[in-house]
Amino acid sequence: MAFMEKPPAGKVLLDDTVPLTAAIEASQSLQSHTEYIIRVQRGISVENSWQIVRRYSDFDLLNNSLQIVGLSLPLPPKKLIGNMDREFIAERQKGLQNYLNVITTNHILSNCELVKKFLDPNNYSASYTEIALQQVSMFFRSEPKWEVVEPLKDIGWRIRKKYFLMKIKNQPKERLVLSWADLGPDKYLSDKDFQCLIKLLPSCLHPYIYRVTFATANESSALLIRMFNEKGTLKDLIYKAKPKDPFLRKYCNPKKIQGLELQQIKTYGRQILEVLKFLHDKGFPYGHLHASNVMLEGDTCRLLDLENSLLGLPSFYRSYFSQFRKINTLESVDVHCFGHLLYEMTYGRPPDSVPVDSFPPAPSMAVVAVLESTLSCEACKNGMPTVSRLLQMPLFSDVLLTTSEKPQFKIPTKLKEALRIAKECIEKRLIEEQKQIHQHRRLTRAQSHHGSEEERKKRKILARKKSKRSAVENSEEHSAKYSNSNNSGSGASSPLTSPSSPTPPSTAAALGLGKDVKEGKDVRVTPTSSTCASATSSSLASCEHRGAHTASAPGCEWREPRGLTQLHPEFPKRNFEESRNL
């Protein structure tokens, strides 16, 4: 793609900081070798995954390329005889999975081009060094005074950002650094505003900003030139590294871990906070603070790469602060990144994990107080302090700055409004990503809890109790139904006129037969119209008093809930002549 050529329509701008995870799903043995089928996933979305097939020789080639870092990576050893045995293949697969876990969880290794190409060849197959050279060559056609001395291969961590050592033809001894970068996923400025702001950067003058000598841009990338500094960056000072060495060799496995002196920490920290406050007051989004973006000139720190936010490039620490929903503005991002930088200056290495539960002994408790306010669990959960608040803390409040250079950075009102809108869009994407990560974490935690051994035991116990309770309820319900069936059946089969169903006392009294009923005589009533009416009303009243069901029947029949035959077995055997006489 030529330098002034527009990017193709619909181009997908990947966020290279989104972590890749890899899981070996299966292995297949061919005639002379074994292939491992690997499922790779970008971020938390299962839909954003794909399969790759790798042999052991592919792993071995990657491991040889990563020897530059000086780490002892756990790649399983080679085996020439018996390497097709089923048990050996299963054991090797476990070892290769462990190897993938190590390189994908290491913050520097997981972001390097070698690992990205191994896991995602479709998106990282291009040679960005060649692309950068082509576009830089196109630029030099219109600017013949510049000349490339040599490419500075892989001195930075970004895959899509390349560096070249430069010189001016009429000043051959002076060395400069050219940086070329592609667009990122957070580029929300219009092409016109983007190019205007890039070309505005050389006019930015500040004692703690590393000056840009030349800057230009097109619709797809930007190119900037700065003076080359032999001493390198703040990270080079901390790790005792050479500026021209590759990023992996310099910082992945430092030989000597030693923090800076307390006075250096105080001075450098105060200078960095001052320039952050200046940019925030100007409405200029930054969000890219780390030790490699701070140039050292004597005892003065100068900030680098202001163009990154204009290009829409993701932050070096994005995979950290995207986990915390309270770090949702570029100001709070800068403060959190300052905590990482302060930790490195203090201890000579980055934190093992974030948030940090406890901090090692520091040169001063004032240092720990600042670290706790930016990297502790409470800070990440509740939110970051402001830059102004950090400047008031004891670690930095008594630092005297001796610079006399007056800051200058004039941004037209129209471009300020464009920056404000772009900043809001960047923060909106960050908030949406944090929301998705939070929901995924909750779901994963719930699934893990649901599948735990303790939870399975609880569910079994509850299931047994529920089964027993259900059995008891079913038994009681069945007994109640059986009892109701018996009661309703006996009441319907006991009419008043049968020999086994004598006249109830209340009815007998109404007919003047109470004496005979008391003496145990059988009573039979032959209903008449008047007698029937009185007997019926009396019987209904008696039924209502007893709570029994009444049923309409011919004549004047009264029904007892239970027949006297059941209560007095001898009753049917008596002589019915007495009742006939009555």
Side-chain angles (χ1 to χ4, degrees):
M1 183 189 298
F3 181 70
M4 298 308 292
E5 189 178 326
K6 290 186 178 181
K11 177 183 176 183
V12 178
L13 300 175
L14 284 179
D15 186 344
D16 296 324
T17 62
V18 176
L20 299 179
T21 55
I24 302 177
E25 295 182 328
S27 61
Q28 55 187 14
S29 297
L30 304 180
Q31 293 181 353
S32 60
H33 65 275
T34 302
E35 292 181 341
Y36 298 92
I37 302 170
I38 305 170
R39 171 70 60 178
V40 183
Q41 180 176 315
R42 176 177 285 105
I44 59 174
S45 175
V46 180
E47 288 129 14
N48 195 3
S49 65
W50 58 92
Q51 279 187 342
I52 59 173
V53 178
R54 293 289 182 266
R55 298 171 55 176
Y56 177 82
S57 58
D58 298 323
F59 281 90
D60 187 53
L61 184 62
L62 172 65
N63 191 65
N64 290 334
S65 301
L66 292 177
Q67 292 303 308
I68 188 176
V69 303
L71 291 173
S72 179
L73 299 174
L75 181 71
K78 293 181 179 181
K79 186 177 181 181
L80 299 177
I81 300 175
N83 57 6
M84 300 298 289
D85 296 341
R86 183 177 299 177
E87 293 181 359
F88 172 76
I89 292 174
E91 193 65 27
R92 172 175 276 183
Q93 181 173 322
K94 291 180 181 179
L96 293 176
Q97 182 63 63
N98 181 48
Y99 180 81
L100 288 173
N101 294 341
V102 169
I103 64 175
T104 54
T105 54
N106 184 295
H107 182 59
I108 294 179
L109 287 181
S110 61
N111 284 301
C112 78
E113 189 174 2
L114 294 169
V115 174
K116 296 284 189 183
K117 282 187 174 182
F118 181 83
L119 296 176
D120 189 5
N122 290 336
N123 287 309
Y124 296 98
S125 58
S127 174
Y128 289 99
T129 302
E130 292 182 5
I131 295 174
L133 276 171
Q134 291 173 7
Q135 301 210 20
V136 170
S137 300
M138 292 293 295
F139 160 71
F140 284 142
R141 292 179 187 178
S142 58
E143 297 288 341
K145 69 175 183 177
W146 307 99
E147 185 178 336
V148 175
V149 177
E150 62 176 328
L152 299 173
K153 191 175 180 181
D154 300 329
I155 66 167
W157 69 277
R158 292 189 187 277
I159 298 173
R160 307 169 198 271
K161 191 168 189 176
K162 299 302 176 182
Y163 298 86
F164 302 90
L165 193 65
M166 307 286 296
K167 69 178 181 179
I168 304 175
K169 289 183 178 180
N170 57 4
Q171 298 176 3
K173 291 185 179 181
E174 199 169 69
R175 292 291 181 265
L176 302 98
V177 173
L178 181 148
S179 64
W180 170 89
D182 201 356
L183 297 179
D186 282 326
K187 192 261 183 182
Y188 296 104
L189 292 166
S190 67
D191 293 340
K192 183 179 177 181
D193 293 338
F194 167 65
Q195 293 178 38
C196 289
L197 283 165
I198 289 291
K199 293 176 181 178
L200 199 65
L201 292 178
S203 66
C204 178
L205 301 177
H206 192 281
Y208 308 126
I209 292 178
Y210 201 66
R211 186 167 182 182
V212 176
T213 304
F214 177 85
T216 187
N218 65 0
E219 295 88 346
S220 63
S221 60
L223 183 152
L224 291 89
I225 298 176
R226 297 177 174 90
M227 296 299 298
F228 177 70
N229 188 347
E230 296 287 348
K231 291 185 178 180
T233 63
L234 179 59
K235 201 174 186 79
D236 294 326
L237 174 67
I238 296 171
Y239 288 80
K240 311 294 187 294
K242 297 177 181 179
K244 291 184 181 181
D245 284 347
F247 192 89
L248 292 178
R249 180 182 295 168
K250 289 189 291 186
Y251 309 131
C252 199
N253 185 31
K255 296 178 180 179
K256 187 177 182 181
I257 298 176
Q258 183 179 356
L260 303 181
E261 299 291 334
L262 179 60
Q263 190 56 44
Q264 289 177 307
I265 295 172
K266 292 166 66 74
T267 303
Y268 296 160
R270 176 64 186 265
Q271 292 170 353
I272 293 167
L273 289 174
E274 288 289 345
V275 69
L276 289 178
K277 186 175 185 304
F278 171 77
L279 293 174
H280 293 174
D281 292 343
K282 287 289 183 180
F284 192 95
Y286 186 55
H288 293 271
L289 180 64
H290 59 92
S292 293
N293 274 352
V294 179
M295 192 68 75
L296 274 180
E297 287 187 332
D299 291 331
T300 303
C301 283
R302 301 185 190 273
L303 208 60
L304 284 167
D305 289 359
L306 268 64
E307 70 274 12
N308 283 356
S309 58
L310 306 180
L311 283 158
L313 303 180
S315 172
F316 181 68
Y317 292 118
R318 186 180 181 90
S319 60
Y320 289 96
F321 60 74
S322 60
Q323 307 292 321
F324 311 111
R325 301 181 73 181
K326 289 293 184 179
I327 309 176
N328 52 17
T329 64
L330 288 184
E331 289 82 2
S332 60
V333 165
D334 283 333
V335 172
H336 181 72
C337 293
F338 178 80
H340 283 264
L341 175 59
L342 182 63
Y343 192 102
E344 261 186 302
M345 288 196 295
T346 305
Y347 302 111
R349 59 179 179 84
D352 295 328
S353 61
V354 177
V356 181
D357 296 325
S358 60
F359 296 92
S364 169
M365 287 305 298
V367 177
V368 177
V370 179
L371 291 173
E372 287 177 343
S373 69
T374 54
L375 295 179
S376 67
C377 296
E378 185 179 356
C380 293
K381 182 179 178 180
N382 299 327
M384 298 288 109
T386 62
V387 173
S388 300
R389 174 72 186 93
L390 292 180
L391 285 168
Q392 294 171 0
M393 295 185 77
L395 183 63
F396 307 115
S397 59
D398 60 346
V399 177
L400 297 177
L401 301 177
T402 57
T403 181
S404 58
E405 186 179 349
K406 187 178 180 180
Q408 293 181 13
F409 192 22
K410 293 182 180 180
I411 304 174
T413 306
K414 184 180 178 181
L415 292 180
K416 278 188 177 181
E417 180 64 16
L419 283 173
R420 184 188 65 79
I421 296 172
K423 176 177 174 291
E424 289 177 356
C425 292
I426 294 172
E427 293 170 350
K428 184 178 180 181
R429 188 177 86 89
L430 173 61
I431 292 170
E432 185 62 31
E433 182 179 339
Q434 290 171 334
K435 181 181 177 181
Q436 292 174 1
I437 292 173
H438 177 70
Q439 291 174 347
H440 176 73
R441 191 186 297 126
R442 287 184 61 185
L443 179 62
T444 304
R445 192 161 49 237
Q447 291 174 343
S448 176
H449 176 69
H450 190 72
S452 64
E453 187 66 27
E454 183 179 355
E455 190 63 19
R456 283 200 294 268
K457 288 180 180 178
K458 287 182 180 179
R459 288 200 300 273
K460 286 181 180 178
I461 294 171
L462 288 175
R464 290 195 198 103
K465 289 182 178 179
K466 187 176 180 180
S467 179
K468 289 180 181 179
R469 194 183 304 116
S470 178
V472 171
E473 290 175 355
N474 290 338
S475 176
E476 291 177 353
E477 185 178 354
H478 181 72
S479 300
K481 287 182 179 179
Y482 182 75
S483 176
N484 290 339
S485 175
N486 286 343
N487 290 344
S488 61
S490 61
S493 62
S494 305
L496 181 63
T497 56
S498 71
S500 62
S501 300
T503 305
S506 58
T507 309
L511 299 175
L513 304 175
K515 180 179 178 181
D516 294 325
V517 172
K518 288 179 182 179
E519 291 176 358
K521 296 181 180 181
D522 293 336
V523 179
R524 181 168 182 170
V525 180
T526 302
T528 62
S529 60
S530 59
T531 308
C532 183
S534 61
T536 301
S537 61
S538 176
S539 298
L540 290 172
S542 176
C543 289
E544 289 173 359
H545 176 71
R546 298 184 186 190
H549 295 285
T550 60
S552 61
C556 187
E557 292 182 354
W558 173 86
R559 298 184 178 186
E560 183 76 6
R562 298 188 65 189
L564 291 179
T565 308
Q566 297 166 325
L567 298 176
H568 302 285
E570 301 295 329
F571 189 85
K573 300 178 181 180
R574 294 182 183 180
N575 190 359
F576 297 108
E577 290 298 324
E578 294 180 10
S579 57
R580 287 198 188 97
N581 293 336
L582 286 173

